[in-house]
Amino acid sequence: MSEIEVQPRRRSPLVFLIPLILFGALALIFAVGLFSGDASKVPSALIGKPAPVITLSQLEGLQRDGQPVPAFAMADLAKGRATLVNVFASWCAPCRVEHPFLVAMAESPAVKAGKVALVGMNYKDEAENARRFLGALGNPYSAVGVDRSGRAAIEWGVYGVPETFLIGPDGRILEKHVGPLDAQAAGRLLTRAAAGK
């Protein structure tokens, strides 16, 4: 009897390229999704709806012009004027980057005249650190509410700090800006707030 040698079938070199091609296609799809669109305009289910009802305490020991800075509530957001609500924290590096633009907004004629209110929501922060942050960089806010647990931010749909909400004169959320404000975004929000739309 003779033995027949069986040679294993050779695979095509293309078989080894299939996983590489699939990986490249997926990487391209993810890259396009990551870098397309405006990251500061994250869709929010709350746009056009009343701002969520929240209870915030005031930032202990924070003063402005020798007076304690109050907290804010839903009733303060529907007083017939537009309100900009900025979510910030002392531990947030991008909050430091945007802070000069908030200080400039506070000095604008619309805010000075009371046509637009600028308030802050201090997110998961220690009172002493928040006071030090605002003391060193300036306090642009007429009211600061403290969200120690982060529950209020969840109600507002906050993805991360900083975020800024434009609240219309009727208390409805008109716009949400995700990330640090720059001169262009701050100017656009302030113009829209002053117009009351």
Side-chain angles (χ1 to χ4, degrees), residues 26-40:
L26 282 173
L28 182 64
I29 290 169
F30 289 139
V32 167
L34 184 64
F35 295 110
S36 66
D38 185 354
S40 67

PDB file of all heavy atoms in Angstrom, residues 26-40:
ATOM      1  N   LEU A  26     -14.301  50.851  10.009  1.00  0.00           N
ATOM      2  CA  LEU A  26     -14.915  51.294  11.268  1.00  0.00           C
ATOM      3  C   LEU A  26     -14.219  52.524  11.828  1.00  0.00           C
ATOM      4  O   LEU A  26     -14.864  53.454  12.330  1.00  0.00           O
ATOM      5  CB  LEU A  26     -14.899  50.164  12.299  1.00  0.00           C
ATOM      6  CG  LEU A  26     -15.957  49.094  12.126  1.00  0.00           C
ATOM      7  CD1 LEU A  26     -15.731  47.954  13.108  1.00  0.00           C
ATOM      8  CD2 LEU A  26     -17.347  49.679  12.318  1.00  0.00           C
ATOM      9  N   ALA A  27     -12.900  52.552  11.785  1.00  0.00           N
ATOM     10  CA  ALA A  27     -12.141  53.702  12.272  1.00  0.00           C
ATOM     11  C   ALA A  27     -12.511  54.961  11.494  1.00  0.00           C
ATOM     12  O   ALA A  27     -12.667  56.043  12.066  1.00  0.00           O
ATOM     13  CB  ALA A  27     -10.646  53.432  12.181  1.00  0.00           C
ATOM     14  N   LEU A  28     -12.691  54.839  10.198  1.00  0.00           N
ATOM     15  CA  LEU A  28     -13.076  55.972   9.361  1.00  0.00           C
ATOM     16  C   LEU A  28     -14.473  56.474   9.727  1.00  0.00           C
ATOM     17  O   LEU A  28     -14.691  57.684   9.850  1.00  0.00           O
ATOM     18  CB  LEU A  28     -13.010  55.571   7.884  1.00  0.00           C
ATOM     19  CG  LEU A  28     -13.337  56.679   6.884  1.00  0.00           C
ATOM     20  CD1 LEU A  28     -12.299  57.791   6.976  1.00  0.00           C
ATOM     21  CD2 LEU A  28     -13.385  56.117   5.471  1.00  0.00           C
ATOM     22  N   ILE A  29     -15.400  55.564   9.931  1.00  0.00           N
ATOM     23  CA  ILE A  29     -16.767  55.947  10.311  1.00  0.00           C
ATOM     24  C   ILE A  29     -16.759  56.678  11.651  1.00  0.00           C
ATOM     25  O   ILE A  29     -17.403  57.719  11.807  1.00  0.00           O
ATOM     26  CB  ILE A  29     -17.687  54.700  10.368  1.00  0.00           C
ATOM     27  CG1 ILE A  29     -17.921  54.176   8.947  1.00  0.00           C
ATOM     28  CG2 ILE A  29     -19.011  55.020  11.048  1.00  0.00           C
ATOM     29  CD1 ILE A  29     -18.580  52.809   8.896  1.00  0.00           C
ATOM     30  N   PHE A  30     -16.034  56.161  12.627  1.00  0.00           N
ATOM     31  CA  PHE A  30     -15.963  56.808  13.941  1.00  0.00           C
ATOM     32  C   PHE A  30     -15.285  58.175  13.863  1.00  0.00           C
ATOM     33  O   PHE A  30     -15.698  59.125  14.524  1.00  0.00           O
ATOM     34  CB  PHE A  30     -15.248  55.924  14.964  1.00  0.00           C
ATOM     35  CG  PHE A  30     -16.042  54.719  15.380  1.00  0.00           C
ATOM     36  CD1 PHE A  30     -15.430  53.498  15.534  1.00  0.00           C
ATOM     37  CD2 PHE A  30     -17.402  54.804  15.612  1.00  0.00           C
ATOM     38  CE1 PHE A  30     -16.154  52.375  15.917  1.00  0.00           C
ATOM     39  CE2 PHE A  30     -18.142  53.698  15.999  1.00  0.00           C
ATOM     40  CZ  PHE A  30     -17.514  52.478  16.147  1.00  0.00           C
ATOM     41  N   ALA A  31     -14.249  58.299  13.064  1.00  0.00           N
ATOM     42  CA  ALA A  31     -13.539  59.574  12.922  1.00  0.00           C
ATOM     43  C   ALA A  31     -14.446  60.634  12.311  1.00  0.00           C
ATOM     44  O   ALA A  31     -14.470  61.780  12.762  1.00  0.00           O
ATOM     45  CB  ALA A  31     -12.279  59.397  12.086  1.00  0.00           C
ATOM     46  N   VAL A  32     -15.199  60.273  11.301  1.00  0.00           N
ATOM     47  CA  VAL A  32     -16.119  61.213  10.671  1.00  0.00           C
ATOM     48  C   VAL A  32     -17.173  61.662  11.687  1.00  0.00           C
ATOM     49  O   VAL A  32     -17.474  62.848  11.810  1.00  0.00           O
ATOM     50  CB  VAL A  32     -16.777  60.591   9.413  1.00  0.00           C
ATOM     51  CG1 VAL A  32     -17.950  61.427   8.931  1.00  0.00           C
ATOM     52  CG2 VAL A  32     -15.748  60.421   8.314  1.00  0.00           C
ATOM     53  N   GLY A  33     -17.717  60.724  12.451  1.00  0.00           N
ATOM     54  CA  GLY A  33     -18.710  61.073  13.465  1.00  0.00           C
ATOM     55  C   GLY A  33     -18.147  61.943  14.575  1.00  0.00           C
ATOM     56  O   GLY A  33     -18.810  62.836  15.077  1.00  0.00           O
ATOM     57  N   LEU A  34     -16.902  61.707  14.929  1.00  0.00           N
ATOM     58  CA  LEU A  34     -16.267  62.452  16.019  1.00  0.00           C
ATOM     59  C   LEU A  34     -15.966  63.882  15.635  1.00  0.00           C
ATOM     60  O   LEU A  34     -16.127  64.798  16.439  1.00  0.00           O
ATOM     61  CB  LEU A  34     -14.975  61.737  16.442  1.00  0.00           C
ATOM     62  CG  LEU A  34     -14.224  62.300  17.635  1.00  0.00           C
ATOM     63  CD1 LEU A  34     -15.081  62.178  18.884  1.00  0.00           C
ATOM     64  CD2 LEU A  34     -12.925  61.550  17.827  1.00  0.00           C
ATOM     65  N   PHE A  35     -15.536  64.099  14.404  1.00  0.00           N
ATOM     66  CA  PHE A  35     -15.079  65.429  14.014  1.00  0.00           C
ATOM     67  C   PHE A  35     -16.087  66.203  13.180  1.00  0.00           C
ATOM     68  O   PHE A  35     -15.788  67.301  12.735  1.00  0.00           O
ATOM     69  CB  PHE A  35     -13.749  65.317  13.263  1.00  0.00           C
ATOM     70  CG  PHE A  35     -12.640  64.808  14.138  1.00  0.00           C
ATOM     71  CD1 PHE A  35     -12.110  63.544  13.940  1.00  0.00           C
ATOM     72  CD2 PHE A  35     -12.153  65.576  15.174  1.00  0.00           C
ATOM     73  CE1 PHE A  35     -11.092  63.064  14.745  1.00  0.00           C
ATOM     74  CE2 PHE A  35     -11.145  65.108  15.993  1.00  0.00           C
ATOM     75  CZ  PHE A  35     -10.617  63.845  15.783  1.00  0.00           C
ATOM     76  N   SER A  36     -17.276  65.680  12.973  1.00  0.00           N
ATOM     77  CA  SER A  36     -18.274  66.429  12.215  1.00  0.00           C
ATOM     78  C   SER A  36     -19.259  67.075  13.175  1.00  0.00           C
ATOM     79  O   SER A  36     -19.517  66.593  14.264  1.00  0.00           O
ATOM     80  CB  SER A  36     -19.012  65.511  11.242  1.00  0.00           C
ATOM     81  OG  SER A  36     -19.788  64.565  11.947  1.00  0.00           O
ATOM     82  N   GLY A  37     -19.812  68.185  12.771  1.00  0.00           N
ATOM     83  CA  GLY A  37     -20.796  68.889  13.589  1.00  0.00           C
ATOM     84  C   GLY A  37     -20.161  69.787  14.621  1.00  0.00           C
ATOM     85  O   GLY A  37     -18.952  69.855  14.777  1.00  0.00           O
ATOM     86  N   ASP A  38     -21.005  70.511  15.330  1.00  0.00           N
ATOM     87  CA  ASP A  38     -20.571  71.444  16.361  1.00  0.00           C
ATOM     88  C   ASP A  38     -20.790  70.792  17.717  1.00  0.00           C
ATOM     89  O   ASP A  38     -21.918  70.580  18.143  1.00  0.00           O
ATOM     90  CB  ASP A  38     -21.373  72.739  16.251  1.00  0.00           C
ATOM     91  CG  ASP A  38     -20.908  73.825  17.196  1.00  0.00           C
ATOM     92  OD1 ASP A  38     -20.027  73.540  18.039  1.00  0.00           O
ATOM     93  OD2 ASP A  38     -21.413  74.947  17.104  1.00  0.00           O
ATOM     94  N   ALA A  39     -19.696  70.498  18.414  1.00  0.00           N
ATOM     95  CA  ALA A  39     -19.784  69.797  19.699  1.00  0.00           C
ATOM     96  C   ALA A  39     -20.480  70.628  20.757  1.00  0.00           C
ATOM     97  O   ALA A  39     -21.016  70.097  21.728  1.00  0.00           O
ATOM     98  CB  ALA A  39     -18.386  69.422  20.183  1.00  0.00           C
ATOM     99  N   SER A  40     -20.504  71.952  20.606  1.00  0.00           N
ATOM    100  CA  SER A  40     -21.141  72.799  21.606  1.00  0.00           C
ATOM    101  C   SER A  40     -22.661  72.794  21.467  1.00  0.00           C
ATOM    102  O   SER A  40     -23.362  73.302  22.322  1.00  0.00           O
ATOM    103  CB  SER A  40     -20.618  74.230  21.508  1.00  0.00           C
ATOM    104  OG  SER A  40     -21.027  74.806  20.284  1.00  0.00           O
TER     105      SER A  40
END
